[in-house]
């Protein structure tokens, strides 16, 4: 898709919204009236189908069907069925993805399994990586933290497993997956891609880029709901050589045969572990319906254009972006830095514009193309300009820090 | 509590139901009209509060509150808040329990952490243990499978971590926790108790019995819903010496400080890992309301009496129970064996009596005292007797095996 020119007036934004091939997608979402929600990179909103599926699973599946619903409602097959739907968003084959556990647990399983590929216990992670990725590596023993930008050298040296985000949570910078995979292949290293901030916003093709292992969350741009179960991607080329360290019964070839011997399922399914949380899994299944028929290249092109608009207008009011100006190198969010970022975000929330904040100074604005319009970004940036101009953020109630923002 | 005499007529059952101190609890549950549900050892039914909490979390929490609900709805605190409610059911202190992940993942985390206590990598599990417990041990490397009843010898020999169910999933036999803990203490061994079939049915006091580590599911007698998140119990006496191998951000002392160094939370909370599935966690929180004010000794006494009644009537029709006749040695379900058990269970389900089946021959009848009445057991056993007498099970449609029963 050709890039979209940055609009310079609200009228031009309106025209872009009218011409937007994704404009119908917004109708599927439940969004509070008058709220501009730019936090889809943290928790996406529900579509109608996700809410319908939760209610059905509770009232019809659980209360009426009881134990029978594991079969009659297809609950038992959901980890693979939902995985197959997700697979399209990352360019994978249906059986290369299973929905299971959290990102933390999945990174652990994959990093443990990857020792079979590297022949070493070494795990590397960058100092700018999302904290849970760093913690998982630390918890594994033979880990090293490398300086930002030095991961390529780390994996070229000794065979090492690198845990690396495709989109950095703070800067939104995208990494060139193929370049890293080429370096890893040369040295016998392995890379576990964290797709948390990438899935549902980028036009990903993991197999084409040579990626073999990945995990990601589904509650950001995939809109699966709070704490929605995460996923594991394992390339069919290597899956059957690997073993999950957590050999739970949902990863067994025949979980209800009650065999004494563990026989892992074929492909990525072997990375499933325990019984999955059905309400959260059904919500995710419903959320994925919003992506049906959506072109990933259109999705990515719109996300880039919305981010370009945000950066252009932020620059006008003197705000510095730490996200790449080149939209081809940027994910679905833009980070603007300001020493009073926390208070500014609070002032925006009071005006019904919702970004989020990451310590110490980053205000993150997320642009999910399924429901964010060009006019939303325009209006949000109007509010941001006004908050800065009037110093509206400089009030005591905005300056208290909460546990989560 | 004094044991309840086994009723010998339906009239006596009616009298026991009228005198039952737990009789009001049933009103809180959503149960299909005319169904006798004896599968609470597999998937408990919803109470009204669980269904209300799911709906609230979806419509109010997610759709309206969006990201703000992590604070305003208290989602961020749920793993510990729900853990604190669960703690009472096993006799633990509130901070000794955290709700997180699945039983499979939790057994793995605890068995890995227990190496610090034993000083060895040895993990033992009995051949009659629930399959996922066996698989987790197998996945860990230095494991051994011991013959049923020989676990005491295994842990007395070399310092070993034993994974052991308090209530066996197949026979319902209860183990003497204190006896095992004394043997373990002598040899420097550690025991991880699987409380899946025990929580919400037994009057447990883990600290009094010397138990230090346990995990359990919450979708059986706790009625938390399909795939409800599991829990971890770690005694305060040892918790801060242990480390989870999966160092996820929810186990960090300050998850939103985005520190680079992993600092585990105090107590059992350090065994949390990734972002929890909120809808399933809210359902569990609501489910626990049904236990408010319920005496665990009354709960246990009624479960024993219901099981006694089942066994007495099964014996009359010549069915063999593989569950202990002594109710003090039995959990909340009774297993009756029959070569055609699968078909008999199917015939009962058609008559709106729901037990379950475990290959190759065990029909399991579960007696959750919160909603099962003496008259329910009486009527179910009437149906069972009739199915056997008329050979109603001997029809082709009952003999097909499904994936889950």
């Amino acid at each position: 898709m050709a890039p979209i020119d940055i609009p310079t007036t609200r009228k031009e934004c309106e025209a872009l919204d009218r011409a937007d091939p994704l404009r119908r997608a917004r109708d599927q979402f439940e969004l509070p009236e008058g709220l501009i929600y730019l936090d889809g990179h943290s928790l996406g909103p529900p579509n109608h189908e996700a809410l319908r599926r939760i209610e059905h699973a509770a009232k019809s599946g659980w209360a009426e069907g009881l134990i029978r619903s594991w079969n009659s409602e297809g609950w038992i097959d959901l980890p693979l069925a939902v995985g197959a739907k997700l697979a399209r968003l990352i360019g994978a084959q249906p059986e290369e993805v299973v929905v299971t556990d959290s990102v933390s647990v999945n990174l652990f399983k994959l990093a443990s399994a990857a020792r079979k590929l590297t022949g070493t216990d070494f795990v590397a992670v960058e100092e700018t990586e999302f904290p849970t990725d760093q913690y998982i590596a630390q918890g594994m023993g033979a880990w090293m933290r490398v300086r930002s930008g030095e991961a390529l050298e780390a994996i070229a040296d000794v065979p090492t497993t690198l845990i690396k985000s495709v989109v950095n949570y703070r800067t939104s910078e995208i990494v060139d997956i193929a370049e890293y995979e080429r370096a890893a292949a040369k040295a016998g290293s392995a890379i576990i891609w964290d797709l948390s901030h990438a899935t549902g916003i980028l036009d990903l093709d993991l197999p084409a880029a040579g990626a073999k292992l990945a995990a990601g969350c589904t509650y950001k741009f995939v809109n699966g709901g709070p704490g929605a179960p995460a996923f594991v991607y394992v390339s069919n080329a290597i899956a059957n050589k690997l073993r999950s360290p957590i050999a739970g019964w949902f990863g067994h070839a025949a979980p209800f045969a009650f065999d004494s011997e563990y026989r892992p399922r074929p492909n990525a399914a072997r990375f499933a572990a325990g019984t999955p949380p059905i309400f959260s899994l059904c919500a995710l299944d419903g959320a994925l319906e919003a992506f049906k028929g959506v072109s990933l290249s259109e999705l990515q092109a719109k996300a880039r254009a919305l981010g370009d608009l945000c950066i252009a207008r932020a620059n006008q009011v003197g705000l510095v972006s730490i996200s790449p100006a080149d939209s081809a190198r940027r994910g679905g969010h833009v980070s603007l830095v300001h020493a009073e970022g926390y208070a500014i975000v609070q002032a925006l929330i009071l005006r019904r514009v919702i970004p989020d904040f990451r310590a110490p100074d980053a205000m993150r604005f997320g642009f999910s193309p399924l429901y964010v319009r060009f006019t939303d970004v325009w209006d949000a940036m109007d509010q941001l300009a006004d908050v800065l101009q009037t110093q509206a953020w400089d009030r005591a109630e905005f300056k208290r820090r909460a546990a989560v923002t």
Side-chain angles (χ1 to χ4, degrees), chain A:
Chain A
M1 272 218 39
I4 300 164
D5 287 338
I6 305 175
T8 55
T9 62
R10 196 178 195 283
K11 255 204 152 48
E12 285 174 31
C13 290
E14 288 165 14
L16 284 174
D17 286 337
R18 276 194 303 272
D20 178 8
L22 299 174
R23 69 189 178 284
R24 292 247 170 274
R26 182 178 163 95
D27 301 338
Q28 299 175 48
F29 284 87
E30 291 266 340
L31 289 161
E33 193 61 36
L35 192 80
I36 300 180
Y37 194 64
L38 303 179
D39 203 11
H41 54 286
S42 193
L43 176 65
N47 62 343
H48 305 311
E49 185 62 11
L51 295 177
R52 201 192 65 73
R53 290 293 305 275
I54 296 170
E55 189 174 348
H56 179 82
K59 293 189 180 166
S60 180
W62 187 16
E64 287 173 31
L66 290 158
I67 188 68
R68 298 166 291 194
S69 296
W70 277 102
N71 285 321
S72 60
E73 293 284 324
W75 291 347
I76 197 78
D77 301 318
L78 279 179
L80 288 180
V82 183
K85 282 191 192 177
L86 251 167
R88 189 181 77 89
L89 300 186
I90 61 173
Q93 294 299 309
E95 71 279 10
E96 289 181 318
V97 178
V98 62
V99 172
T100 179
D101 300 305
S102 63
V103 174
S104 300
V105 172
N106 290 339
L107 291 176
F108 174 85
K109 291 187 289 194
L110 291 175
S112 177
R115 291 181 295 200
K116 183 85 182 286
L117 301 173
T118 62
T120 74
D121 283 342
F122 302 133
V123 183
V125 65
E126 283 180 307
E127 62 185 1
T128 51
E129 194 47 81
F130 190 77
T132 212
D133 300 55
Q134 298 195 44
Y135 303 155
I136 291 296
Q138 285 177 48
M140 295 195 67
W143 77 290
M144 53 178 165
R145 184 184 291 138
V146 298
R147 280 212 286 230
S148 181
E150 292 179 4
L152 268 176
E153 292 155 48
I155 54 171
D157 194 15
V158 246
T160 298
T161 298
L162 174 69
I163 298 176
K164 174 118 183 104
S165 287
V166 168
V167 176
N168 185 274
Y169 81 100
R170 189 171 148 81
T171 63
S172 195
E173 187 165 358
I174 295 180
V175 70
D176 182 341
I177 300 177
E179 179 190 5
Y180 276 70
E181 287 292 349
R182 280 191 298 271
K186 258 185 224 161
S189 287
I191 306 173
I192 296 161
W193 295 103
D194 184 338
L195 301 175
S196 294
H197 287 78
T199 316
I201 193 89
L202 298 186
D203 186 5
L204 291 169
D205 189 336
L206 260 57
K212 291 175 193 68
L213 301 165
C217 88
T218 62
Y219 47 74
K220 299 180 187 291
F221 293 119
V222 181
N223 312 310
F231 68 91
V232 163
Y233 156 81
V234 186
S235 162
N236 281 340
I238 59 163
N240 293 340
K241 281 188 249 178
L242 302 182
R243 288 273 190 148
S244 169
I246 308 175
W249 69 328
F250 266 68
H252 193 283
F256 289 92
F258 286 72
D259 285 349
S260 276
E261 296 302 321
Y262 190 70
R263 287 182 292 124
R265 292 182 85 147
N267 305 318
R270 60 184 50 201
F271 283 88
T275 312
I278 291 300
F279 304 125
S280 293
L281 192 49
C282 285
L284 171 58
D285 195 20
L288 285 165
E289 293 297 308
F291 289 90
K292 224 173 206 171
V294 167
S295 146
L296 295 184
S297 77
E298 283 176 0
L299 196 78
Q300 177 175 273
K302 183 177 170 190
R304 287 175 175 179
L306 293 170
D308 283 343
L309 171 58
C310 168
I311 292 177
R313 293 217 52 202
N315 287 344
Q316 287 169 3
V317 292
L319 273 174
V320 175
S321 158
I322 54 168
S323 301
D326 174 4
S327 68
R329 290 181 47 230
R330 197 177 64 223
H333 65 283
V334 163
S335 280
L336 306 176
V337 292
H338 191 289
E340 294 293 343
Y342 179 82
I344 294 168
V345 164
Q346 299 310 307
L348 282 173
I349 291 172
L350 200 76
R351 293 165 178 229
R352 300 184 65 68
V353 174
I354 304 198
D356 73 3
F357 176 77
R358 284 292 172 253
D361 59 1
M363 302 181 281
R364 301 191 306 170
F365 296 80
F367 306 109
S368 178
L370 294 181
Y371 55 85
V372 177
R373 296 166 296 199
F374 287 90
T375 44
D376 291 328
V377 178
W378 186 269
D379 295 344
M381 299 314 288
D382 272 354
Q383 290 291 345
L384 177 60
D386 193 67
V387 163
L388 288 168
Q389 220 156 27
T390 60
Q391 299 216 324
W393 51 267
D394 197 17
R395 286 158 50 183
E397 71 266 33
F398 294 147
K399 296 195 164 187
R400 267 171 290 144
R401 293 273 166 115
V404 194
T405 60

